[in-house]
Each structure stands twice: as C-alpha cells, then as structure tokens.
Amino acid sequence: MEIRELIKKLEEKYPLDLQEQWDNSGLQIGDPRNELKNVMISLDLEEEGIDEAIKNNCNLIVTHHPYIFNDIRYIDFTDKFYSRLEKVIKNDISVYSMHTNLDKANDGLNDNLADILGLKNTEILEIGQDPGLGRFGDIDEINVQSLAKNIKEKLNARAVICYGDMNKKIKRLAVCGGAGAELFDDCLKLDIDAIVTADVKYHEAMDYSDKGLLIIDPGHFTSENHIIYKLQDLISKMTDSKIYTYSKEDTFRTFI
C-alpha cells in the first residue's frame, strides 16, 4: 500500500472539504507515493514523536493539528520549529493532518468526545450546519461538582476549570474539542445547561456564565488527545502496517 492509498481512505471518511476556510488539513510534508511502512499518530508534530516514529520505522505521521498554518517566508533549521521539518525530510517521513474536518465529521473527534462523556440522543451543536462543530445531548441529571470530577477522570485531565453556577443541575450537556467559545450562543439558543470546551477567555466566561451557561474547561490537550486512540483503531482496520501513538501529555500547563 502506498501512503496516498491510506490517505484516500481517511479522506473518504473525513473529507477535506469539511474543514474551515482558515484551516490547513491534508498533506503537510512528504511524498504520498512512497510505500507505507508503519504509522505514528499524535495530536501535534512533536520532536519526541518524530523520534518515536523513526525508532518504530514509521514513514507516515498523522496529526490532528496541522504543522503548517501560516505563510513560510524562510526556513532556518536552527529554529526549533523548522528543525522538526528537517528531521522528517531527512528521514523520508510524510506528515498528514486532519483538523476541523475531523472535528466536524460523523464519527470524528466531537462524536468521540460525546461518547466518552456518555451523551445520549446526540446532535450537532453548531446551528444550521450538518455536519458542523460540537455536539450536545442528554445525560442523567448530575450536579456540577460530580460532573466536573467525571470529566477530569474520563479525559485524564490534570485539572478542570468551571465557570458559572456551581449549584446548577446539569441534564443537557454540549461538547466541543479544542476552542469552542464560538458556539456559546448556540448553547443558549438550544437551552443547554453546560458545555465542555477549552481555551475559554476570562471575559467571555464571565459574560456567558452570567447568562446561565455553565462552562467546564479541561484544557485544549485533554479535550482532543482521546482522538489519537480512536484513529489508531480505525487506521489499523485500513492497513496491515503497525500503528503507533505518541502522547506528550498535558505538559504545557503547570499546576502549582
């Protein structure tokens, strides 16, 4: 199997035309005509993940977050960001990303997050879009403290931040992996009690909690890292190659 054959299967399930206009999902680096060896899956393209790929004879790294987002004016391999590019090129590794297309698609990141948190009767959160961002559904009534504890445990989060009425009872829950503040108005229109999402700003948290929305922020990493294990299972059914995962864990935030 060539790399492009596996990519074709992934794009049939998670089409690139679903991605947001600002996004850059798809092939980032490499020659998709190369024969596929093994596959590494990671949330981001990290130097340690590249090293693991090399060690395990992987010539394809699949990431959620695209490595290339902005225009490149120069490439300086002394820059740590571009040293990753040098390493994958020298080791003939291709890099492929599925970002907002994976977020939106059926059986993608947000459906997986909804399943992990036990949502029932799940629907798309982004009003008027099908497919769209986020999901919402029903849960057995629960208090905020218990819900936050469950989320922390199920997502293996080091901590969660709650904004809003801590005495509220939650029956209708929304989720959006990564940064989902753009969906807060949709939550209000759909009478949703709480949303699990990340990267919430202070003032927007204050404004929407005042409007009655309970916001639970487990961190960007933990709201999305679960998808690499789902992709591991999915890709293992698409190829006979060995599939590995690399997770750096939530080391960007330090809790003291």
Side-chain angles (χ1 to χ4, degrees):
M1 172 184 279
E2 294 182 354
I3 290 172
R4 61 183 172 183
E5 294 177 73
L6 176 57
I7 288 175
K8 181 180 179 182
K9 292 182 179 183
L10 290 172
E11 291 180 357
E12 287 173 353
K13 186 169 181 63
Y14 305 118
L16 288 181
D17 61 8
L18 295 182
Q19 69 179 305
E20 297 284 277
Q21 289 186 346
W22 50 263
D23 200 3
N24 191 38
S25 296
L27 184 69
Q28 305 286 294
I29 304 159
D31 187 344
R33 299 168 299 180
N34 287 343
E35 193 70 19
L36 180 66
K37 296 177 183 177
N38 297 323
V39 182
M40 177 65 67
I41 307 170
S42 183
L43 196 65
D44 300 280
L45 184 66
E46 300 283 355
E47 188 166 357
E48 300 91 337
I50 298 170
D51 291 338
E52 285 295 309
I54 295 168
K55 184 174 75 174
N56 289 290
N57 195 33
C58 300
N59 67 340
L60 174 63
I61 298 176
V62 177
T63 70
H64 179 47
H65 296 134
Y67 172 66
I68 299 171
F69 251 127
N70 302 315
D71 293 339
I72 296 175
R73 293 178 174 272
Y74 66 92
I75 297 174
D76 180 355
F77 288 147
T78 64
D79 184 318
K80 192 170 183 179
F81 179 83
Y82 291 117
S83 67
R84 284 174 271 175
L85 175 60
E86 179 184 26
K87 185 172 286 189
V88 295
I89 290 174
K90 285 185 175 179
N91 287 277
D92 202 15
I93 297 172
S94 295
V95 179
Y96 180 83
S97 298
M98 296 183 291
H99 192 210
T100 52
N101 58 318
L102 181 60
D103 292 336
K104 290 181 177 183
N106 180 49
D107 199 33
L109 187 146
N110 280 299
D111 282 318
N112 196 56
L113 181 56
D115 289 344
I116 290 170
L117 298 184
L119 273 64
K120 295 173 287 187
N121 307 315
T122 306
E123 299 181 47
I124 295 168
L125 177 57
E126 188 179 15
I127 294 173
Q129 299 298 317
D130 186 10
L133 295 169
R135 298 292 185 268
F136 73 95
D138 303 318
I139 58 172
D140 295 333
E141 185 174 286
I142 190 172
N143 62 51
V144 176
Q145 292 86 350
S146 297
L147 175 61
K149 182 179 179 182
N150 288 347
I151 292 167
K152 181 180 176 182
E153 290 175 352
K154 289 179 178 179
L155 297 183
N156 196 29
R158 297 173 65 192
V160 299
I161 302 171
C162 298
Y163 303 95
D165 181 4
M166 295 299 290
N167 296 312
K168 188 175 184 179
K169 300 295 184 181
I170 309 300
K171 293 189 293 184
R172 205 175 204 197
L173 182 65
V175 299
C176 183
E182 66 189 83
L183 300 173
F184 287 172
D185 284 325
D186 299 81
C187 289
L188 296 179
K189 292 174 184 176
L190 293 166
D191 294 322
I192 287 165
D193 299 315
I195 182 170
V196 180
T197 193
D199 298 348
V200 182
K201 296 179 181 178
Y202 171 79
H203 287 291
E204 64 191 4
M206 178 184 292
D207 291 345
Y208 283 92
S209 61
D210 284 345
K211 295 175 183 178
L213 182 64
L214 193 286
I215 303 164
I216 301 176
D217 185 343
H220 197 118
F221 177 89
T222 49
S223 74
E224 295 187 324
N225 194 58
H226 53 87
I227 195 60
I228 70 174
Y229 307 109
K230 180 179 179 64
L231 290 176
Q232 181 182 33
D233 181 63
L234 175 71
I235 295 174
S236 68
K237 295 177 174 68
M238 295 178 170
T239 175
D240 293 330
S241 300
K242 291 182 179 180
I243 315 299
Y244 299 88
T245 62
Y246 171 76
S247 178
K248 192 173 184 177
E249 299 183 352
D250 193 3
T251 55
F252 297 99
R253 300 183 301 164
T254 300
F255 301 91
I256 298 174

